[in-house]
Amino acid sequence: MTDATDFQDIPTTTLAEVLGREQVMDIGIRPLWGPLMRLAGPAFTVRCPPGDNLMLHAAIYRAEPDSVVVVESGDLDYALAGGNVCAIAQRRGIAGFVVDGVIRDLGEVRGAGFPVFARGVIPIPGVKKAVLPLNERVRCGGVAVDAGDVVVADEEGVVVVPGGRLAEVLAGARARLAKEAAENLDDWEKAHRARVEEMLRAGGFEG
């Protein structure tokens, strides 16, 4: 049975080619420190209204070990989490955070080596008032994410593999990687140049 562990060594670039643009988060969701380890795990989804972080703080006690906590917020004025929240998440075995928003205490988070992909940092925390369901569909970085989808993140970006397509996407990604491994740079250049020249001729380019 295919699960998140099968995606640990699959580059996000390969997954993006297999899945297409709609499963790739926008460029604003970036690693907050580096060099950053790869992040791959099943999504535990959280929704936080602007200025409120209660449900992320609740999620760190409910998410399973090795899961990636994915947060919909869209709020850039108040931090969703800080050093202690990230430390507790790390201690409980959570793989990392992917946050459509901002955090604080970056030095502590970086020092602990806890992976966080987000839009940035800000020193002021949000409030804790809004109670919302966990593990419902969220939108993070422009991508719809359901609980159990596999989230893969590295320095290239963040890709979401739908839970119902894990085996299909893994097979496609492995096939692409095998093809690339069997092709040296000379072979790639020859095929690439022929393809480019054909496109140029078809477009009427002369030169």
Side-chain angles (χ1 to χ4, degrees):
M1 181 178 176
T2 305
D3 60 26
T5 60
D6 295 307
F7 291 85
Q8 290 288 346
D9 298 320
I10 307 294
T12 55
T13 48
T14 303
L15 292 172
E17 290 174 355
V18 173
L19 285 163
R21 178 65 186 88
E22 63 274 10
Q23 294 305 120
V24 180
M25 292 190 187
D26 71 56
I27 63 170
I29 311 295
R30 305 301 301 170
L32 293 188
W33 56 269
L36 188 65
M37 68 186 77
R38 279 177 53 81
L39 181 60
F44 185 98
T45 58
V46 181
R47 183 179 291 106
C48 291
D52 197 299
N53 60 30
L54 175 60
M55 295 318 298
L56 173 54
H57 289 231
I60 64 172
Y61 300 107
R62 290 162 175 79
E64 293 294 325
D66 299 320
S67 61
V68 177
V69 175
V70 179
V71 186
E72 174 184 328
S73 170
D75 175 26
L76 303 182
D77 292 321
Y78 296 92
L80 287 160
N84 285 344
V85 168
C86 291
I88 292 169
Q90 185 178 43
R91 187 165 67 181
R92 299 197 69 255
I94 291 169
F97 289 169
V98 175
V99 175
D100 200 334
V102 292
I103 70 161
R104 67 179 197 160
D105 301 329
L106 179 59
E108 295 178 29
V109 176
R110 181 174 54 234
F114 184 68
V116 178
F117 288 71
R119 295 196 182 273
V121 294
I122 200 167
I124 186 168
V127 299
K128 296 170 183 61
K129 294 181 179 179
V131 176
L132 297 171
L134 292 168
N135 270 333
E136 293 192 341
R137 174 172 285 193
V138 299
R139 196 159 189 86
C140 184
V143 178
V145 186
D146 290 309
D149 289 351
V150 171
V151 178
V152 183
D154 59 22
E155 62 185 3
E156 300 282 349
V158 185
V159 180
V160 180
V161 185
R165 298 180 59 193
L166 299 186
E168 167 207 340
V169 172
L170 182 64
R174 285 179 172 168
R176 281 178 177 267
L177 290 172
K179 181 180 178 181
E180 291 170 4
E183 185 178 52
N184 63 37
L185 185 58
D186 290 338
D187 293 335
W188 187 91
E189 180 185 8
K190 182 179 179 180
H192 176 258
R193 184 168 186 173
R195 189 164 63 250
V196 169
E197 295 302 326
E198 181 181 354
M199 291 175 180
L200 291 174
R201 285 193 300 272
F205 177 80
E206 297 181 5

